[in-house]
Amino acid sequence: MKLAMLGEVNIAAQLDEGYHVSVRNHNKEVDNNRHILSKLIDCIKFCGSFELALRGHDESASSDNPGVFLGLVDLVASLDSAMKEHLEKATVFKVDFLTFLTFPKENCHFGQHCSKEVATRIPDALELS
C-alpha cells in the first residue's frame, strides 16, 4: 500500500489495492499448485502407461529402492525447481514421502471414497453415451 501525504489518504483506493494484491498472490499460488499437480499426474500416467506399480516394497527415506513412482517424483524434482521446493516444504510428503498419493493401509479412506464415487458415476456415464 502506498502512503499518502498529510491526510490525503484515500481508504477505498488502499483497500482496492490490497484486495488486488491478495488476488494476485492467490492466483500465483493456484498456478503453482496446478503446476505441481500436473507433474504428479504425469508421473502417475507414466507408471500407468507401462503398467508399473505406484508403490515400492519399502518407501522409507532410507530405502535404496523406494519404487518407480517415487523415483520419478525425485527425477522431476531434480529437473524442476518448483517441484523440488514443494517437496521440501510440503507436510504431506514428510510421513511416508507420499502418504496421501500411495494410499497406505492406515490411510485408505480417500481411495475408498474415490472408488465409491467412480462406481456411482459409471452408470450415469453409460446412460449418456
Side-chain angles (χ1 to χ4, degrees):
M1 291 187 203
K2 297 178 183 175
L3 299 176
M5 298 195 56
L6 299 174
E8 295 179 17
V9 178
N10 186 347
I11 294 174
Q14 285 184 347
L15 290 174
D16 190 46
E17 181 181 342
Y19 173 75
H20 287 297
V21 168
S22 68
V23 168
R24 277 193 298 268
N25 290 339
H26 174 75
N27 289 341
K28 185 177 179 182
E29 186 177 337
V30 167
D31 288 341
N32 186 46
N33 288 342
R34 285 182 179 161
H35 173 75
I36 298 300
L37 186 59
S38 74
K39 297 300 178 191
L40 291 172
I41 290 171
D42 289 343
C43 291
I44 291 171
K45 286 169 48 178
F46 177 84
C47 289
S49 64
F50 291 101
E51 298 180 6
L52 301 170
L54 292 178
R55 293 193 62 157
H57 178 68
D58 178 15
E59 294 181 343
S60 64
S62 62
S63 175
D64 292 332
N65 187 10
V68 176
F69 178 68
L70 293 180
L72 281 173
V73 170
D74 282 340
L75 176 66
V76 170
S78 69
L79 299 173
D80 187 348
S81 61
M83 181 71 153
K84 184 176 183 177
E85 180 184 333
H86 179 76
L87 290 177
E88 289 171 353
K89 72 177 184 177
T91 57
V92 170
F93 294 92
K94 299 288 188 234
V95 179
D96 253 345
F97 192 65
L98 286 177
T99 301
F100 178 72
L101 293 174
T102 56
F103 306 124
K105 292 175 186 171
E106 64 272 2
N107 194 21
C108 64
H109 300 292
F110 180 75
Q112 292 170 353
H113 175 71
C114 288
S115 64
K116 288 179 186 175
E117 186 69 23
V118 169
T120 58
R121 290 184 184 226
I122 288 176
D124 296 337
L126 291 175
E127 288 177 9
L128 294 175
S129 61

